[in-house]
Amino acid sequence: MAKSSKDVVMPGDELGVIEEYMPGNGTYEDDGKIKASSVGTLDLDTKSRKAGVSVSRKFSVPEVGDLVEGIVTLVKDDKAVVSIVGIRGKRPLTGEFTGELHISQAAKSYTKSMHDVTNVNDRILAKVITGWTPYQLSTADDNLGVIFATCTKCGDSLVLRGDKLVCLAEKVYERRKVSSEYSLRE
Amino acid sequence: MATEKLISDDGIRNDGRKIDELREIKFDIGVLKNTDGSAYVEWGRTKILVGVMGPRESHPKHLALADKARIDAFYRMASFSVEEWKSPAPSRRETELSKVIREALSPAVFTEYFPRTSIDIFIEVLQADGSTRCAAISAASLALVDAGIPMRDLVASIAVGKVDGQLVLDVQDKEDKEGESDMPMAYMPSKNAVTLLQMDGQITQEEFARSIDMLKKGCLEVYRLQRDAIEAHFKVSESSNEEA
């Protein structure tokens, strides 16, 4: 019952032996045998000698390097707590994960206070830099930071004017670490 | 005790099956929208719906495990699932079944991939006609696969009972209540590992050994049906991906 590439495999199926292949994605090694751990199509790479499964349905959990969107739930002087509501490129979440944005990861330049970076209820785009809850986040890159914010005074949406956020109703500027993907522009 | 015979003289059970014959089993995968993975099983007249949520953040947080995911099962019977109305309050039996189902499934799941998260398995028995724990375990392992959670193997489960002095495969409610013994087993076929083995009633050692053989054969039949269901579901979702 030797399997060949493009075969549909499911958990427990034997894909080969470790003398022959390295265990790749969606597989595990059990007593010298490589077995599938997920449902998908088999990928036998004869060049790199890797047996992997191109997984057809994958769990949705933040992993190091993922871009996540979250809502800021708490801002302290040195950190902000973020409720992660979605992971870009992965299945929608059924729950929420907690993330933390530390001041040292907020921007490339010196930041005096997290209150200059974000505020409660902002929607932010961040990169995950640790592998478990509370996930440590970073917004240092240009494309990362606040992607939607509301006015602290009146609750209207803030719009991007130049590189600053402004409330058109109250005519006040607000300080944020703004992402280059900010949703509203003047 | 038994007023009518449960097995006729030519070896046919009161629902028309032979003594080593399974009921008609139908698995359906991916039936719920708001869960990460789901499965529905019709196992004769037993009907069970399973939803899996997770891996997701563990609440309350002090119960989270630092090195692996916490698996929780919630076995619940609908009030209309049995002949007499069942109180909706969780019973002693439901709590116990939640525990054994959780322990039957955990060896198959790679919990160490998801530290500090929890995987919740919700099992709703809509109609009960015996072997609900076996049907629940078999369907739950499909729901876990549907959730995309890495697993060592599928878990297949079946029960053997002793009725009218004979060993029978896949016990239904009447045989369970009026028979002499009931023995459910959960089994990981490609690892050849038993994850659940329970027994009530009394059987001899020789009958026990024969039961184990019957259970393995039964589990392999359930396993084959599980594989068919996964393959069918996988093909459907593949083609719908192409359309999108």
Side-chain angles (χ1 to χ4, degrees):
Chain A
M1 52 155 259
K3 303 251 176 217
S4 52
S5 266
K6 301 289 161 218
D7 277 1
V8 175
V9 294
M10 38 198 90
D13 286 0
E14 276 180 39
L15 311 178
V17 289
I18 47 169
E19 285 85 356
E20 208 181 354
Y21 290 105
M22 295 272 285
N25 261 343
T27 68
Y28 70 103
E29 192 233 305
D30 179 33
D31 198 23
K33 291 170 193 142
I34 298 170
K35 291 183 173 179
S37 63
S38 304
V39 177
T41 48
L42 179 60
D43 244 335
L44 288 177
D45 193 334
T46 43
K47 277 219 176 89
S48 65
R49 307 305 299 175
K50 246 188 182 176
V53 176
S54 36
V55 179
S56 54
R57 200 166 154 81
K58 205 165 179 260
F59 55 87
S60 199
V61 169
E63 284 167 299
V64 175
D66 281 351
L67 286 186
V68 296
E69 282 188 30
I71 308 287
V72 176
T73 52
L74 174 78
V75 181
K76 290 186 175 183
D77 249 2
D78 62 336
K79 69 167 187 185
V81 180
V82 181
S83 163
I84 298 169
V85 293
I87 308 168
R88 293 216 168 155
K90 290 194 179 174
R91 256 163 58 192
L93 298 177
T94 46
E96 289 171 354
F97 289 96
T98 308
E100 266 178 17
L101 177 59
H102 188 255
I103 191 162
S104 60
Q105 298 289 347
K108 278 198 176 116
S109 55
Y110 170 71
T111 315
K112 199 172 174 208
S113 161
M114 275 309 273
H115 298 283
D116 299 337
V117 172
T118 186
N119 199 357
V120 171
N121 271 336
D122 285 358
R123 194 175 181 97
I124 67 162
L125 178 65
K127 195 168 74 184
V128 178
I129 53 178
T130 62
W132 52 80
T133 44
Y135 295 92
Q136 297 300 316
L137 305 174
S138 164
T139 55
D141 293 346
D142 289 342
N143 62 324
L144 306 178
V146 176
I147 52 174
F148 177 74
T150 50
C151 174
T152 324
K153 263 180 148 175
C154 68
D156 256 15
S157 312
L158 297 177
V159 294
L160 194 62
R161 175 183 289 168
D163 57 353
K164 284 201 176 98
L165 289 182
V166 62
C167 173
L168 296 176
E170 297 284 331
K171 310 243 182 316
V172 289
Y173 286 95
E174 293 210 18
R175 272 201 208 109
R176 295 286 199 286
K177 165 43 172 109
V178 184
S179 156
S180 59
E181 293 183 24
Y182 192 82
S183 49
L184 300 170
R185 276 160 208 283
E186 204 177 28
Chain B
M1 261 245 307
T3 46
E4 55 176 312
K5 281 178 88 173
L6 288 168
I7 303 180
S8 70
D9 293 330
D10 44 358
I12 300 296
R13 287 147 82 176
N14 74 333
D15 59 355
R17 285 184 291 156
K18 298 197 202 77
I19 54 169
D20 60 347
E21 194 178 338
L22 264 63
R23 282 174 277 183
E24 197 177 314
I25 300 171
K26 206 183 107 224
F27 290 109
D28 237 332
I29 302 178
V31 290
L32 301 175
K33 178 175 152 277
N34 296 332
T35 56
D36 288 303
S38 56
Y40 172 69
V41 61
E42 284 185 15
W43 192 296
R45 283 198 294 267
T46 294
K47 296 180 184 181
I48 297 178
L49 190 58
V50 182
V52 168
M53 307 271 275
R56 57 178 181 175
E57 201 159 276
S58 211
H59 287 293
K61 276 183 184 162
H62 71 269
L63 291 180
L65 306 172
D67 58 342
K68 60 182 176 192
R70 179 169 67 99
I71 295 193
D72 238 336
F74 303 89
Y75 172 99
R76 216 188 89 81
M77 291 181 101
S79 297
F80 49 78
S81 64
V82 278
E83 265 172 47
E84 250 180 72
W85 180 83
K86 184 205 156 286
S87 156
S91 63
R92 199 260 327 142
R93 182 176 169 276
E94 285 171 300
T95 313
E96 179 187 317
L97 280 179
S98 300
K99 175 192 174 284
V100 301
I101 289 170
R102 181 184 76 224
E103 288 174 358
L105 290 166
S106 341
V109 181
F110 279 102
T111 48
E112 59 269 33
Y113 289 1
F114 309 105
R116 301 184 199 195
T117 63
S118 64
I119 298 168
D120 295 326
I121 304 163
F122 300 97
I123 296 157
E124 303 287 331
V125 178
L126 306 177
Q127 188 166 285
D129 185 39
S131 297
T132 55
R133 82 194 64 187
C134 299
I137 290 168
S138 307
S141 91
L142 293 185
L144 285 166
V145 166
D146 184 40
I149 296 168
M151 309 235 296
R152 291 183 176 83
D153 200 350
L154 299 178
V155 185
S157 179
I158 196 103
V160 158
K162 189 178 168 190
V163 175
D164 287 352
Q166 288 193 64
L167 294 177
V168 297
L169 189 63
D170 191 12
V171 186
Q172 38 129 334
D173 191 47
K174 199 176 167 66
E175 293 169 334
D176 184 23
K177 283 187 178 130
E178 296 174 16
E180 290 120 81
S181 145
D182 175 33
M183 184 161 133
M185 177 169 96
Y187 180 63
M188 294 197 282
S190 68
K191 282 190 81 79
N192 192 24
V194 174
T195 62
L196 166 84
L197 185 62
Q198 294 181 299
M199 198 191 82
D200 60 16
Q202 286 184 333
I203 57 173
T204 64
Q205 281 190 11
E206 185 268 330
E207 281 169 336
F208 181 83
R210 263 180 35 224
S211 298
I212 295 288
D213 287 342
M214 286 174 79
L215 285 165
K216 275 196 184 177
K217 265 186 212 137
C219 282
L220 286 175
E221 271 189 65
V222 174
Y223 179 61
R224 193 176 48 76
L225 295 167
Q226 286 177 308
R227 291 186 66 98
D228 290 349
I230 291 176
E231 208 150 318
H233 175 68
F234 179 72
K235 283 208 177 111
V236 169
S237 51
E238 279 284 278
S239 51
S240 64
N241 279 349
E242 278 158 24
E243 282 160 28

